[in-house]
Amino acid sequence: MNPNYNLVADRAAHRCEYCRAPEIVFNFPFEIEHIVPLYRGGNNEISNLALACRSCNLRKGTNTRGIDSTSNTEVSLFHPRENRWEENFQVQAESGAIAGMTPVGRVTVTALGMNSQPQLIARQLWIRLGLFP
């Protein structure tokens, strides 16, 4: 396990910093990921580490940017230290879908596949159980 796990997980309130999945419903700890990947010049400092569920971490990979479908411009993915989640995303309570409210939000929802069928089903259950958002 990453030696920074406790610090990063506590800071994230044990939620994925991208899709806000609650770590408590999984039978294993979430992953510590590099917001700016080492491959792209990132570092191992705490400010560059985020708690991520397996789905978000795998889909993000070394990506840091994407094309916004509305403006057709390249923008950065959501950065948990520089962007506020509430300003970029909105949860649709009935469907469980996460809507991107800004170019950053839209690109991140698409790049991380935040609204896959399994995630929507899980998110609907988490909402009913009071575990999300």
Side-chain angles (χ1 to χ4, degrees), residues 7 15 30 34 51 56-57 64 69 71 82 102 111 115 123:
L7 180 63
R15 292 185 172 278
F30 281 173
H34 293 87
L51 191 66
C56 286
N57 194 23
T64 59
S69 59
S71 65
E82 296 176 0
T102 63
N115 292 319
R123 215 173 285 129

Side-chain angles (χ1 to χ4, degrees), residues 3 9 24 27 32 39 42 50 57 59 73 98 107 112 114-115 128:
I24 194 169
N27 65 349
I32 303 301
Y39 171 81
N57 194 23
R59 288 184 170 127
T73 58
I98 295 176
V107 164
L112 276 53
M114 289 182 177
N115 292 319
R128 285 196 301 273

Side-chain angles (χ1 to χ4, degrees), residues 75-120:
V75 298
S76 295
L77 294 178
F78 178 76
H79 189 299
R81 299 300 149 260
E82 296 176 0
N83 305 122
R84 292 193 64 227
W85 202 90
E86 297 79 10
E87 292 174 1
N88 290 279
F89 306 101
Q90 184 176 55
V91 178
Q92 298 168 355
E94 193 166 310
S95 69
I98 295 176
M101 305 306 292
T102 63
V104 166
R106 289 189 295 270
V107 164
T108 304
V109 166
T110 300
L112 276 53
M114 289 182 177
N115 292 319
S116 69
Q117 192 63 28
Q119 288 173 312
L120 291 174

